[in-house]
Amino acid sequence: MPALDCHAHIAPDVTAPQIRGLNGAIIFAMTRTPAEANYAANRDDPTILWGYGVHPGVPGAIAALTEDGIRRATTRHPIIGEIGLDRKSALEPQTRALDLILRVCADQPVLLSLHSTGRTSQLLDVLQERPHAGAILHWFNGTRNEIERAAAMGCYFSVNAAMSDERLAWFPRDRLLPETDFPSSRRTTQARQPGDTAFLEQRMSALTGQSETAVREMWYRNLGELATHAGIVSRLPTQLQRLISHP
């Protein structure tokens, strides 16, 4: 069973030998701008699922967002991400962009990878107004009450080894997915490349009392539940469909 990484960043011009060097890991590759996403959409990589990103910390990405672009993206990308809200930029343009994305994606079979740095409560407010069955909160650093609120809304959470044991224990176990957010915080995540979730699995094994193999099986089982709920199973690569059917 290959490693699973539900939020990482890979250059869209990555070469075939470089992909082989990822050891068969299944990776959700987030883009930051529509232009980067459009380039990635032309790829056909059996182990990499390319997202359509409008990163809230990149004002140029928000300025480039159009409704037609999002509509096209929902047919070309199984994941819309990285999207969300960020404390480093003005809130209003980000909120308008996120609201537009959620409105267009409302009934579409896609997953969403949502960024919320410094804007956790505001992100949940937007999602409360426009819920989505495929919402994954990436590296969510909200309060325990906000985690409970998000879980009640049906959200999943992609977590990494830079997060504390206390925080990891707050998340519902059946809503957890693994991520590296590579190349961010490599010293604390100990991820040497996208898909390197070994340290995270060691941490989760110690926290849960499960074997590392059982932790990895949990990741795939949770992804299978999410994919089914979001109606996206048929859009996933064949290998990943098999893995979530028999974790």
Side-chain angles (χ1 to χ4, degrees):
M1 182 174 284
L4 176 66
D5 185 346
C6 293
H7 189 109
H9 296 276
I10 299 176
D13 60 353
V14 63
T15 66
Q18 288 172 323
I19 291 175
R20 286 195 294 272
L22 300 177
N23 301 315
I26 304 289
I27 299 168
F28 293 8
M30 304 301 150
T31 58
R32 293 181 173 87
T33 67
E36 185 182 356
N38 290 337
Y39 186 99
N42 295 316
R43 299 189 61 99
D44 183 18
D45 302 296
T47 58
I48 300 179
L49 287 73
W50 293 95
Y52 177 89
V54 184
H55 195 292
V58 182
I62 293 173
L65 179 67
T66 66
E67 183 169 340
D68 286 346
I70 303 167
R71 292 194 186 281
R72 286 194 300 273
T74 62
T75 66
R76 304 177 74 195
H77 298 267
I79 304 165
I80 306 299
E82 180 170 2
I83 59 173
L85 302 176
D86 187 275
R87 67 185 172 209
K88 294 182 180 179
S89 302
L91 180 60
E92 186 178 353
Q94 296 180 56
T95 303
R96 285 199 307 268
L98 180 57
D99 185 76
L100 176 60
I101 293 168
L102 293 174
R103 177 168 60 81
V104 172
C105 292
D107 299 315
Q108 298 300 311
V110 293
L111 301 179
L112 309 177
S113 188
L114 292 143
H115 171 111
S116 59
T117 300
R119 303 282 194 189
T120 52
S121 63
Q122 293 96 330
L123 178 77
L124 294 182
D125 289 343
V126 177
L127 273 179
Q128 191 84 51
E129 291 296 317
R130 297 197 183 276
H132 193 280
I136 305 170
L137 303 187
H138 141 67
W139 202 335
F140 189 71
N141 280 325
T143 64
R144 190 167 189 174
N145 285 340
E146 287 172 341
I147 290 171
E148 292 173 355
R149 179 187 175 193
M153 292 163 56
C155 297
Y156 281 64
F157 306 89
S158 59
V159 299
N160 62 63
M163 302 170 83
S164 69
D165 285 354
E166 180 183 30
R167 179 169 297 281
L168 290 172
W170 287 351
F171 295 104
R173 199 174 298 177
D174 62 353
R175 300 288 184 84
L176 286 175
L177 297 168
E179 66 161 58
T180 62
D181 198 21
F182 191 89
S184 296
S185 303
R186 281 174 283 179
R187 182 179 62 81
T188 47
T189 65
Q190 296 191 30
R192 296 163 295 177
Q193 60 186 20
D196 182 7
T197 57
F199 182 54
L200 174 63
E201 290 176 347
Q202 292 168 17
R203 292 269 309 282
M204 291 304 302
S205 175
L207 281 171
T208 65
Q210 298 175 295
S211 68
E212 291 171 34
T213 298
V215 169
R216 186 169 294 189
E217 289 172 348
M218 176 185 72
W219 303 138
Y220 279 103
R221 185 167 56 250
N222 292 350
L223 179 58
E225 292 291 333
L226 173 61
T228 300
H229 186 58
I232 194 176
V233 173
S234 63
R235 300 194 64 191
L236 300 176
T238 302
Q239 179 189 8
L240 183 51
Q241 290 187 40
R242 288 197 301 266
L243 288 165
I244 62 176
S245 297
H246 306 282

